[in-house]
Amino acid sequence: MREKDRQVPLTIVLGTGRCGSTMLSDLVNEHPGALSLSEFFACLDPGVFPVGTLDGPAFWKLLGTPRLKPNVLMTHGVTVPEYRYPIGSGRYAAGEVPAISLMTLPPLTGDPDGLYDRIRTEVISWRPAPVSHQYLRLFSWWAFSSGRDVVVERSGASLRFLPELLTRFPAARFVHMYRDGPDSAMSMSRHPLFRLGVMIGDMRAELGVDPYRNPDPRHTELLPERLRPFAPYSLDAAALAGTDIPLVRFGDMWSRATGALRHLAGLSAERLLHLSYDAVMTDPEPQLTTFGHFAGLAEPEVWAARVAGKVDRKRAGAASRLSAGQAEELRLACAPGTRRLTGLLDGTAAAAL
């Protein structure tokens, strides 16, 4: 077996979204032995886990085909911090950015187009295999070719992928990064993707489908006027940023995301690490050291000491600035998720609720 065909250890970071995992991914990217794949699975959604086998050209199509939602947002001038492709200096214009070029490649290189081409050259001739095998082969080749010995994948709101991840990557380790529910919900309320997510839920209730997964220009006319500014063919960036969305909607969103936590119950300590965002904010170095040991990073203490100062500790406690009434409403909206999270961390049956 060629060295680059050996499976490199894989750690997958899980979270509800707005739980600090982007920060963690950026810190991991500063370790010389780690291949930090930020938003890899999220970039490929929808369609990230197709059934059957894929040969090289089909796998490349999965990796490269632009996804509708991010390209619509970029075309309409919506600023999403995680979208890091260099529009204006890169090869692709807004509306045409390939899936893995959107968020995963730019943090790794100053030439994401060149890396994109190198990946294509490698995978296009691969023999047919299930997509999980192709992903692992890609990760190992990528790590080998860049001189890295571990892979850490991290996607925002990745708990939605959890059942598939557990099934398809039985040897992977998982880091569950979690944050206080009301604080996460507050952060979601300010982020365009989560704001759009709330409106997509409302549009799905009207149309019976997600218009970003089943696009049709007729959807705009079928929607009530209040929802038309959020449809793919009539998106209004100002409306997305300025529409008043009650905080409890984001509390509900966070709480629903925690429903996937039941799949972690019973996973061994060798495969699962719980990492508290608030603990990282309070005392980053020991928390990052623990993560580094778990993920197999070389000299984790050295890495943690070097990057701990880059943790923005002012981000903690976002919900503490709410009025008493708002805080109570948000707490109640998050309560089901809080019970699930507490049950999982305590090892009680509440995690299955």
Side-chain angles (χ1 to χ4, degrees):
M1 179 183 294
R2 295 178 302 168
E3 183 176 1
K4 67 178 180 178
D5 285 333
R6 293 189 308 183
Q7 186 171 326
V8 174
L10 171 64
T11 297
I12 299 174
V13 180
L14 306 166
T16 59
R18 311 313 295 163
C19 62
S21 65
T22 300
M23 170 195 68
L24 181 62
S25 191
D26 288 341
L27 296 178
V28 172
N29 197 34
E30 300 203 18
H31 191 291
L35 177 62
S36 181
L37 299 181
S38 182
E39 308 282 8
F40 179 82
F41 292 125
C43 281
L44 305 180
D45 188 42
V48 59
F49 292 117
V51 298
T53 61
L54 286 76
D55 62 11
F59 184 51
W60 175 246
K61 183 177 180 181
L62 171 64
L63 297 175
T65 300
R67 298 313 196 259
L68 177 65
K69 185 190 298 181
N71 280 285
V72 165
L73 291 170
M74 287 187 291
T75 300
H76 288 84
V78 177
T79 300
V80 177
E82 292 82 1
Y83 294 174
R84 301 186 184 183
Y85 184 78
I87 299 294
S89 61
R91 178 189 302 162
Y92 300 99
E96 304 171 352
V97 180
I100 59 170
S101 297
L102 179 69
M103 298 183 277
T104 302
L105 301 188
L108 300 175
T109 174
D111 181 18
D113 293 333
L115 179 54
Y116 179 78
D117 291 341
R118 290 194 296 277
I119 294 171
R120 181 187 183 280
T121 298
E122 171 62 25
V123 308
I124 199 74
S125 62
W126 284 359
R127 61 189 180 276
V131 72
S132 55
H133 179 91
Q134 301 290 36
Y135 284 143
L136 291 171
R137 189 177 182 188
L138 173 63
F139 296 162
S140 295
W141 168 81
W142 204 337
F144 173 79
S145 64
S146 58
R148 312 300 173 100
D149 48 26
V150 298
V151 176
V152 179
E153 193 283 334
R154 192 279 324 171
S155 290
S158 56
L159 282 174
R160 70 192 189 273
F161 301 133
L162 182 53
E164 288 273 20
L165 294 172
L166 288 169
T167 300
R168 292 177 180 271
F169 304 108
R173 296 176 180 178
F174 294 89
V175 175
H176 167 227
M177 193 164 188
Y178 63 94
R179 184 182 186 182
D180 174 72
D183 284 348
S184 293
M186 282 288 294
S187 185
M188 289 175 177
S189 74
R190 298 188 289 262
H191 195 283
L193 288 180
F194 290 91
R195 293 178 63 81
L196 182 59
V198 170
M199 309 317 294
I200 287 174
D202 290 350
M203 288 189 286
R204 188 188 299 116
E206 294 283 343
L207 299 169
V209 297
D210 178 340
Y212 285 87
R213 291 177 179 264
N214 301 274
D216 186 330
R218 295 173 295 178
H219 285 159
T220 298
E221 296 304 317
L222 294 173
L223 288 168
E225 187 172 351
R226 73 175 186 88
L227 294 176
R228 291 176 185 174
F230 310 108
Y233 295 98
S234 52
L235 184 68
D236 184 327
L240 181 60
T243 295
D244 183 24
I245 305 175
L247 280 176
V248 294
R249 299 291 304 275
F250 299 98
D252 290 339
M253 176 181 283
W254 178 84
S255 198
R256 287 195 305 273
T258 66
L261 293 177
R262 67 185 184 277
H263 298 290
L264 293 177
L267 211 60
S268 70
E270 289 74 25
R271 292 194 64 204
L272 176 63
L273 172 70
H274 299 290
L275 184 64
S276 164
Y277 171 88
D278 293 307
V280 173
M281 292 294 105
T282 301
D283 195 5
E285 190 169 333
Q287 300 298 321
L288 293 173
T289 298
T290 297
F291 166 83
H293 277 290
F294 181 82
L297 303 186
E299 299 184 317
E301 295 87 355
V302 175
W303 165 75
R306 180 165 55 84
V307 301
K310 298 187 177 185
V311 172
D312 184 358
R313 300 167 72 173
K314 299 188 296 295
R315 292 179 176 270
S320 65
R321 295 182 283 274
L322 293 173
S323 69
Q326 286 179 312
E328 179 63 9
E329 288 182 350
L330 189 54
R331 184 192 69 79
L332 290 173
C334 292
T338 300
R339 287 195 296 271
R340 294 187 190 103
L341 176 59
T342 301
L344 178 65
L345 298 177
D346 292 346
T348 67
L353 294 176

